[in-house]
């Protein structure tokens, strides 16, 4: 895992890249007054991987805003494959039908079914790389999530933070929940401070743990992760959500990271001093968000675990998937966050 990429960027990269390489971001906006990309029903399509936390952020906002009937969805297989083996060694996401046979990891290990995959029904692409090339983006990093314009046949945006805000505000005339504002003006300072402060320090150091090549680097990163978790635990002891009394985009970003902690980061990345289950406020926060209408169905722990344990062959060449700890069972239990109402 590339810490420079996964910790600081707002999308999931398709293969291991050297630290410091710039991300090829496409950040066009969809607005009513745009001379190119206006909000319209059935014009845009969202490409994601259930396993990727950056993708899940956008999937959650699409659901919470009630845009399922207006913006289509495709979900890749969680296990990276060679995209053009006859041409180069590029490894990335592929599209499959649920009825297709299982895949192995790129080293030929494991057997990973296509359950939950949603093929590319718009362009019939077989890989995310092919989607980018169809849009004229050749030789870039083929990242997800992607918002695709079916009218112009191009990628509009591939930055999850941007996409979250586009879905939050640009489609309110079509939304079944237009009053929901995940980036309210009155809380933007608190949201931005959390996103760029506690959360960034927490999230970036998760992936620095995975990337560490020396004990010293690992020690710094893992200690920073738990320092930030302690601070967020303290914050959530004083208020219901990270920006105050209202649920915002900052809570979504934290939720998708915490969701993966005990199942993936704790073992695969060796971030194992404590679990989220050991933090009362974080644990109950995770339960509350998971149980919100529209969010539960965005959680596919099968795909999450397969994405990390089958695709990250540098860390897990065998492709073996751990059997536990079954976080989903705990997420359905009663939470205590209503004490703040």
């Amino acid at each position: 895992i590339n810490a420079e990429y996964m910790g600081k960027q707002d999308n999931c990269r398709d293969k291991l890249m050297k630290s410091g390489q710039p991300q090829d971001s496409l950040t066009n906006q969809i607005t009513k007054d745009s001379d190119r990309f206006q909000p319209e029903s059935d014009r845009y399509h969202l490409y994601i991987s259930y396993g990727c936390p950056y993708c899940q952020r956008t999937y959650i906002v699409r659901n919470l805003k009630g845009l399922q009937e207006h913006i289509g969805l495709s979900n890749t297989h969680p296990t990276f494959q060679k995209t053009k083996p006859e041409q180069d060694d590029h490894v990335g996401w592929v599209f499959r039908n649920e009825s297709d046979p299982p895949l192995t990891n790129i080293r030929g290990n494991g057997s990973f079914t296509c359950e939950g995959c949603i093929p590319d029904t718009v362009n019939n692409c077989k890989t995310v790389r092919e989607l980018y090339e169809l849009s004229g983006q050749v030789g870039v990093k083929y990242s997800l999530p992607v918002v695709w314009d079916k009218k112009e046949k191009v990628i509009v945006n591939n930055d999850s933070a941007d996409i979250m805000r586009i879905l939050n505000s640009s489609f309110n005339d079509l939304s079944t929940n237009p009053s929901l504002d995940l980036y309210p003006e009155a809380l933007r300072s608190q949201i931005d401070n959390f996103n760029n402060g506690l959360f960034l320090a927490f999230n970036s150091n998760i992936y620095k743990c995975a990337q560490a090549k020396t004990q010293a680097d690992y020690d710094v990163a893992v200690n920073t992760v738990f320092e930030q978790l302690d601070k967020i635990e303290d914050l959530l002891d004083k208020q219901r959500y990270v920006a105050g009394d209202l649920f915002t985009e900052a809570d979504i970003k934290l939720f998708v990271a915490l969701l993966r902690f005990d199942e993936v980061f704790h073992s695969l990345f060796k971030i194992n001093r404590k679990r989220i289950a050991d933090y009362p406020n974080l644990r109950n926060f995770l339960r509350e968000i998971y149980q919100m209408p529209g969010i539960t169905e965005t959680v596919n722990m099968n795909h999450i675990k397969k994405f990390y344990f089958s695709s990250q062959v540098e860390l897990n060449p065998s492709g073996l998937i751990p059997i536990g700890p079954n976080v989903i069972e705990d997420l359905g239990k009663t939470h205590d966050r209503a004490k703040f109402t």
Side-chain angles (χ1 to χ4, degrees), residues 242-261:
V242 296
D245 296 330
L246 293 180
F247 174 74
T248 69
E249 66 167 46
D251 298 292
I252 295 173
K253 291 182 177 183
L254 179 61
F255 169 76
V256 299
L258 296 179
L259 179 68
R260 288 156 173 79
F261 198 95

Side-chain angles (χ1 to χ4, degrees), residues 112 309-310 316-322:
F112 310 107
F309 286 99
S310 74
N316 190 44
S318 69
L320 292 175
I321 310 292

Side-chain angles (χ1 to χ4, degrees), residues 27-56:
T27 55
N28 298 297
Q29 300 299 303
I30 300 172
T31 61
K32 286 183 179 180
D33 58 359
S34 170
D35 57 2
R36 189 176 183 191
F37 302 113
Q38 298 90 20
E40 299 174 27
S41 180
D42 198 33
R43 175 173 173 176
Y44 301 98
H45 195 80
L46 181 62
Y47 290 92
I48 64 168
S49 167
Y50 289 159
C52 163
Y54 301 93
C55 292
Q56 190 181 1

Side-chain angles (χ1 to χ4, degrees), residues 5-224:
Y5 184 93
M6 292 292 285
K8 296 183 178 179
Q9 302 296 336
D10 278 304
N11 41 21
C12 274
R13 62 92 176 95
D14 56 345
K15 66 173 288 189
L16 192 67
M17 296 288 184
K18 292 180 180 178
S19 285
Q21 286 186 299
Q23 171 61 29
D24 301 282
S25 292
L26 298 164
T27 55
N28 298 297
Q29 300 299 303
I30 300 172
T31 61
K32 286 183 179 180
D33 58 359
S34 170
D35 57 2
R36 189 176 183 191
F37 302 113
Q38 298 90 20
E40 299 174 27
S41 180
D42 198 33
R43 175 173 173 176
Y44 301 98
H45 195 80
L46 181 62
Y47 290 92
I48 64 168
S49 167
Y50 289 159
C52 163
Y54 301 93
C55 292
Q56 190 181 1
R57 297 173 176 182
T58 65
Y59 187 17
I60 287 173
V61 179
R62 171 182 173 268
N63 277 19
L64 292 179
K65 295 293 291 189
L67 296 170
Q68 295 93 321
E69 299 301 315
H70 303 286
I71 299 173
L73 187 77
S74 291
N75 171 57
T76 66
H77 194 286
T79 307
F80 288 169
Q81 302 290 296
K82 290 185 177 181
T83 57
K84 288 188 177 180
E86 73 289 346
Q87 178 177 315
D88 54 41
D89 293 327
H90 175 263
V91 171
W93 280 289
V94 298
F95 297 104
R96 288 293 186 271
N97 291 291
E98 283 199 302
S99 58
D100 287 341
L103 302 180
T104 66
N105 71 12
I106 60 171
R107 297 193 181 179
N109 297 323
S111 178
F112 310 107
T113 71
C114 299
E115 169 272 326
C117 294
I118 304 174
D120 178 9
T121 55
V122 175
N123 298 297
N124 199 33
C125 290
K126 302 306 179 187
T127 69
V128 171
R129 175 182 185 170
E130 184 182 346
L131 184 71
Y132 271 77
E133 291 175 348
L134 185 64
S135 182
Q137 304 293 318
V138 179
V140 300
K141 300 174 187 69
Y142 308 114
S143 64
L144 289 176
V146 157
V147 171
W148 178 268
D149 180 5
K150 296 192 282 186
K151 183 176 179 180
E152 294 206 15
K153 295 181 170 51
V154 294
I155 293 172
V156 179
N157 199 300
N158 66 356
D159 182 277
S160 75
D162 259 9
I163 295 171
M164 289 176 77
R165 292 181 183 175
I166 289 170
L167 297 176
N168 177 57
S169 60
S170 295
F171 291 87
N172 277 338
D173 289 346
L174 301 172
S175 170
T176 62
N177 195 10
S179 62
L180 175 67
D181 186 358
L182 297 166
Y183 191 54
E185 190 167 352
L187 292 178
R188 288 182 183 178
S189 175
Q190 293 95 313
I191 293 169
D192 292 343
N193 286 340
F194 180 81
N195 286 345
N196 299 322
L198 283 180
F199 179 74
L200 178 60
F202 165 62
N203 199 49
S204 62
N205 279 283
I206 287 173
Y207 295 99
K208 287 179 182 178
C209 288
Q211 192 188 35
K213 301 300 182 186
T214 69
Q215 188 68 47
D217 288 346
Y218 166 78
D219 288 346
V220 169
V222 77
N223 286 327
T224 303

Side-chain angles (χ1 to χ4, degrees), residues 263-264 267-268 305-311 316 319-322:
E263 292 278 8
V264 176
S267 59
L268 186 64
K305 292 176 76 169
K306 286 178 183 177
F307 168 56
Y308 287 94
F309 286 99
S310 74
S311 290
N316 190 44
L320 292 175
I321 310 292

